[in-house]
């Protein structure tokens, strides 16, 4: 048997197996695992079943994409297609690397077979059998490598098809996204334009409605006023007739009352004349609310009234206890609601001489004033037009119109939007008629809003002045406040 020396083995290795180029790229750091099976067949060990092949990975990704396609939005679908395209590109790169590695394996196996063929001609015996067995194993490896290359080529073609499909799908998805985005933008713009048109139409309709409504209202008011004027001219209503009759009755009643009072006064003067022939003065005027009383001489030899110091009093009855009226020191005095049902008396003092004059009877209430005040009580607030003639005792030259608000909780004096005074009912508030001075005293009232703030107000009529005083006292009484004049006893 021929022995192979160490030197021969080294020489064979140097001649038969040339060195592999350093720039060869292997796909893996090791060869697949093989073993010798029955009948000397070379078998490749199966890989771990947990590791999926490239084909299975591609199939699974494709199935997942197709399964989720119906549930994804257009944008999500495009994103998925892009990811799949990236995965397909990655798989294509891996297949290319595997192809390069397979080519290197073929080159390496060819060189190894050539080396073994050269070695077989040089050895004999058992070594030769080993070489032939090695050659058969190399051929088997080459065959399996060829089969593997076929599968790899098939997988590569499938990967290319899938990559092409995914690329086309991604482009279609992008195109669809762009179309949907453009459509959505167009719809939004159309909606905005429609909303703007509707708003403009509504504004125009509102303007037209306001203008036409105002014009129609003005025309209707003119027609109603004209109809009322024509009706009043040609067909007076029963209410108008009743009002005229009522006014006539009131005038007759006032005339009768005045005549009756005159007769009572003449009778009282005759009685007093019989009792005291030296009675030189009398109280002239209607002894009723809404008028004013004036002390006048009855004889030409009587001194002027201006020479006397005067003090007015109110009495519960003839000969009863006298209650002085604070501030009533003028020859003229206008009764206020507090004086209704009482006798008024004036003491005239000159040097040591004191003369007394009084009304013939209690002061009568104004006709219809009570019902008028009861109607005003049902309102939350009542307004009266007034003029301020004095403020804190100082005369006011301006004669501008102010509004006197009497409410359930407070009284307010305003000029336009400016509030001159506003106070809630309190014990420091006072309201009464003006006590003395001029023939307009029956229309004037004194109002002290609080300590240090007072006004003298002139109303449009005597009726409104007395109604304002009665209404304010009624509301103040509901607030547990007795509203009266200076030094008046709140027992009435």
């Amino acid at each position: 048997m021929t022995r192979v020396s160490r030197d021969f083995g080294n020489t064979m290795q140097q001649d038969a197996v040339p060195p592999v180029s350093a720039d060869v790229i292997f796909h893996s750091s090791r060869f697949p695992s093989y073993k010798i099976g029955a009948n000397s067949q070379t078998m490749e060990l199966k890989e771990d079943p947990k590791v999926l092949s490239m084909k299975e990975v591609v199939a699974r990704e494709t199935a997942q994409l197709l399964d989720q396609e119906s549930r994804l939005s257009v944008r999500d679908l495009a994103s998925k297609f892009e990811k799949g395209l990236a995965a397909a590109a990655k798989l294509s790169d891996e297949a290319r690397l595997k192809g390069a590695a397979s080519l290197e394996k073929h080159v390496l196996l060819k060189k190894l077979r050539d080396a073994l063929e050269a070695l077989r001609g040089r050895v004999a015996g058992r070594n030769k059998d080993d070489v032939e067995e090695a050659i058969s194993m190399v051929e088997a490896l080459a065959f399996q490598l060829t089969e593997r290359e076929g599968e790899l080529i098939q997988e590569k073609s499938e990967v290319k098809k899938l990559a092409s499909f995914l690329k086309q799908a991604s482009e279609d998805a992008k195109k669809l996204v762009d179309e949907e985005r453009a459509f959505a933008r167009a719809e939004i713009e159309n909606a905005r334009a429609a909303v703007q048109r509707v708003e403009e139409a509504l504004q125009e309709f509102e303007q037209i409605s306001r203008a036409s409504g105002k014009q129609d209202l003005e025309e209707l008011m003119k027609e109603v006023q004209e109809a009322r004027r024509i009706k009043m001219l040609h067909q007076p209503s029963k209410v108008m007739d009743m009002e005229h009759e009522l006014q006539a009755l009131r005038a007759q009643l006032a005339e009768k009352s005045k005549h009756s009072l005159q007769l009572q006064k003449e009778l009282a003067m005759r009685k007093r004349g019989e009792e005291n022939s030296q009675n030189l003065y009398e109280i002239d005027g209607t002894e009723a609310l809404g008028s004013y009383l004036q002390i006048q001489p009855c004889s030409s030899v009587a001194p002027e009234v201006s020479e006397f110091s005067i003090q007015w009093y109110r009495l519960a009855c003839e000969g009863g206890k006298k209650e002085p009226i604070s501030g009533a020191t003028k020859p003229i005095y206008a009764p206020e609601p507090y004086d209704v049902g009482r006798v008024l008396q004036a003491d005239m003092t000159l040097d040591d001489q004191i003369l007394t004059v009084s009304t013939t009877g209690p002061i009568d209430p104004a006709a219809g004033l009570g019902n008028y005040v009861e109607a005003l009580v049902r309102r939350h607030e009542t307004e009266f037009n007034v003029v301020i003639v004095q403020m804190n005792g100082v005369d006011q030259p301006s004669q501008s119109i102010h509004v006197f608000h009497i409410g359930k909780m407070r009284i307010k004096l305003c000029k336009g939007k400016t509030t001159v005074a506003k106070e809630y009912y309190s014990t420091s508030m006072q309201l009464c008629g003006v006590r003395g001075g001029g023939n307009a005293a029956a229309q004037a009232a004194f109002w002290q809003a609080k300590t240090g703030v007072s006004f003298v107000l002139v109303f449009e009529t005597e009726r409104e002045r007395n109604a304002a005083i009665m209404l304010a006292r009624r509301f103040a009484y509901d607030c547990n406040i007795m509203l009266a004049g200076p030094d008046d006893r709140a027992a009435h």
Side-chain angles (χ1 to χ4, degrees), residues 102-341:
S102 177
L103 180 60
E104 294 173 358
K105 290 178 181 178
H106 274 287
V107 173
L108 186 59
L109 288 176
K110 186 175 182 305
K111 291 182 178 180
L112 181 59
R113 189 175 182 282
D114 293 341
L116 290 175
E117 286 291 344
L119 183 60
R120 185 175 59 178
R122 298 180 185 180
V123 297
R126 186 176 179 82
N127 292 333
K128 187 175 182 180
D129 295 334
D130 293 337
V131 172
E132 289 179 355
E133 185 177 357
I135 291 173
S136 63
M137 291 177 63
V138 170
E139 290 176 352
L141 286 173
F143 179 74
Q144 291 180 1
L145 186 59
T146 303
E147 291 181 352
R148 185 75 175 193
E149 285 180 353
E151 295 176 359
L152 187 61
I153 292 172
Q154 185 177 359
E155 290 179 359
K156 187 175 181 180
S157 63
E158 292 178 358
V159 168
K160 287 183 178 179
K161 291 180 181 179
L162 180 60
S164 176
F165 170 73
L166 290 175
K167 184 176 181 181
Q168 184 65 32
S170 178
E171 292 177 355
D172 293 342
K174 287 181 179 180
K175 185 178 179 181
L176 184 60
V177 168
D178 294 338
E179 291 178 355
E180 291 293 332
R181 185 181 292 112
F183 179 74
R185 288 176 178 174
E187 290 293 328
I188 291 172
E189 293 297 329
N190 293 335
R192 287 178 178 173
V195 170
Q196 187 175 1
R197 289 196 299 270
V198 170
E199 290 179 352
E200 292 177 354
L202 286 175
Q203 292 177 357
E204 184 178 358
F205 177 75
E206 289 178 357
Q207 293 177 355
I208 295 175
S209 299
R210 290 176 183 174
S212 61
K214 188 176 181 180
Q215 185 177 3
D216 294 343
L217 182 60
E218 291 178 354
E219 292 178 357
L220 182 61
M221 290 177 64
K222 290 181 180 179
E223 292 178 359
V224 170
Q225 291 176 358
E226 184 66 18
R228 285 180 178 176
R229 189 183 66 83
I230 295 174
K231 186 175 181 181
M232 289 176 64
L233 289 175
H234 300 282
Q235 296 180 356
S237 64
K238 293 182 179 180
V239 177
M240 295 288 293
D241 294 340
M242 292 176 65
E243 286 183 355
H244 289 306
E245 292 178 2
L246 186 60
Q247 289 178 0
L249 290 175
R250 284 178 179 173
Q252 293 178 6
L253 181 61
E255 187 68 25
K256 296 291 184 182
S257 177
K258 187 176 181 180
H259 183 65
S260 175
L261 289 174
Q262 187 69 25
L263 292 176
Q264 290 179 5
K265 288 172 66 176
E266 290 180 358
L267 180 61
M269 287 178 64
R270 288 181 181 179
K271 290 182 179 179
R272 291 175 183 175
E274 294 175 357
E275 296 175 357
N276 186 7
S277 59
Q278 296 181 354
N279 194 1
L280 302 177
Y281 299 92
E282 67 175 353
I283 295 178
D284 185 30
T286 304
E287 297 177 358
L289 188 63
S291 63
Y292 66 92
L293 305 176
Q294 185 174 6
I295 301 175
Q296 290 184 347
C298 299
S299 173
S300 59
V301 297
E304 292 292 332
V305 178
S306 59
E307 297 179 5
F308 290 86
S309 61
I310 301 173
Q311 177 61 56
W312 288 82
Y313 298 89
R314 58 173 68 96
L315 291 78
C317 60
E318 190 81 31
K321 184 179 179 180
K322 297 191 299 184
E323 177 185 342
I325 303 174
S326 178
T329 59
K330 303 292 183 181
I332 295 177
Y333 176 74
E336 61 161 285
Y338 196 67
D339 299 323
V340 174

Side-chain angles (χ1 to χ4, degrees), residues 240-464:
M240 295 288 293
D241 294 340
M242 292 176 65
E243 286 183 355
H244 289 306
E245 292 178 2
L246 186 60
Q247 289 178 0
L249 290 175
R250 284 178 179 173
Q252 293 178 6
L253 181 61
E255 187 68 25
K256 296 291 184 182
S257 177
K258 187 176 181 180
H259 183 65
S260 175
L261 289 174
Q262 187 69 25
L263 292 176
Q264 290 179 5
K265 288 172 66 176
E266 290 180 358
L267 180 61
M269 287 178 64
R270 288 181 181 179
K271 290 182 179 179
R272 291 175 183 175
E274 294 175 357
E275 296 175 357
N276 186 7
S277 59
Q278 296 181 354
N279 194 1
L280 302 177
Y281 299 92
E282 67 175 353
I283 295 178
D284 185 30
T286 304
E287 297 177 358
L289 188 63
S291 63
Y292 66 92
L293 305 176
Q294 185 174 6
I295 301 175
Q296 290 184 347
C298 299
S299 173
S300 59
V301 297
E304 292 292 332
V305 178
S306 59
E307 297 179 5
F308 290 86
S309 61
I310 301 173
Q311 177 61 56
W312 288 82
Y313 298 89
R314 58 173 68 96
L315 291 78
C317 60
E318 190 81 31
K321 184 179 179 180
K322 297 191 299 184
E323 177 185 342
I325 303 174
S326 178
T329 59
K330 303 292 183 181
I332 295 177
Y333 176 74
E336 61 161 285
Y338 196 67
D339 299 323
V340 174
R342 300 190 180 192
V343 176
L344 296 180
Q345 179 180 308
D347 287 351
M348 305 171 61
T349 304
L350 179 61
D351 297 331
D352 295 334
Q353 184 182 6
I354 299 177
L355 300 178
T356 301
V357 291
S358 63
T359 57
T360 58
I363 300 299
D364 295 327
L369 182 61
N371 295 332
Y372 178 57
V373 173
E374 289 298 325
L376 297 180
V377 167
R378 290 190 284 269
R379 301 180 184 178
H380 181 73
E381 186 176 82
T382 304
E383 299 178 357
F384 299 93
N385 293 329
V386 298
V387 175
I388 301 176
V389 295
Q390 278 189 5
M391 180 175 179
N392 297 328
V394 180
D395 293 341
Q396 300 293 313
S398 175
Q399 299 295 319
S400 58
I401 302 297
H402 291 66
V403 180
F404 194 54
H405 301 260
I406 297 180
K408 294 184 178 294
M409 301 295 294
R410 58 169 174 75
I411 297 178
K412 182 173 65 171
L413 181 63
C414 298
K415 181 181 179 182
K417 295 183 179 180
T418 304
T419 301
V420 179
K422 181 177 69 174
E423 294 294 333
Y424 290 90
Y425 296 114
S426 64
T427 55
S428 63
M429 182 180 291
Q430 297 178 0
L431 181 63
C432 63
V434 169
R435 295 173 176 179
N439 55 6
Q443 297 175 230
F446 171 79
W447 178 49
Q448 178 177 292
K450 60 182 179 179
T451 304
V453 180
S454 61
F455 303 89
V456 175
L457 309 175
V458 177
F459 290 76
E460 292 181 339
T461 62
E462 296 86 354
R463 186 186 190 197
E464 288 195 357

Side-chain angles (χ1 to χ4, degrees), residues 43-104:
M43 302 178 62
E44 181 181 359
L45 294 177
K46 294 183 179 180
E47 298 178 355
D48 189 356
K50 293 182 181 180
V51 180
L52 299 177
S53 64
M54 183 188 306
K55 185 176 181 180
E56 293 174 348
V57 171
V58 172
R60 186 179 66 177
E61 291 292 334
T62 304
Q64 290 179 355
L65 286 175
L66 293 176
D67 181 54
Q68 294 180 2
E69 181 179 1
S70 59
R71 295 183 290 108
L72 294 175
S73 64
V74 176
R75 184 176 297 176
D76 294 337
L77 185 61
S79 177
K80 287 291 184 180
F81 276 126
E82 290 178 357
K83 291 181 180 179
L85 184 61
K90 184 177 179 180
L91 292 176
S92 178
D93 294 338
E94 291 181 357
R96 187 172 63 256
L97 294 175
K98 287 185 178 181
S102 177
L103 180 60
E104 294 173 358

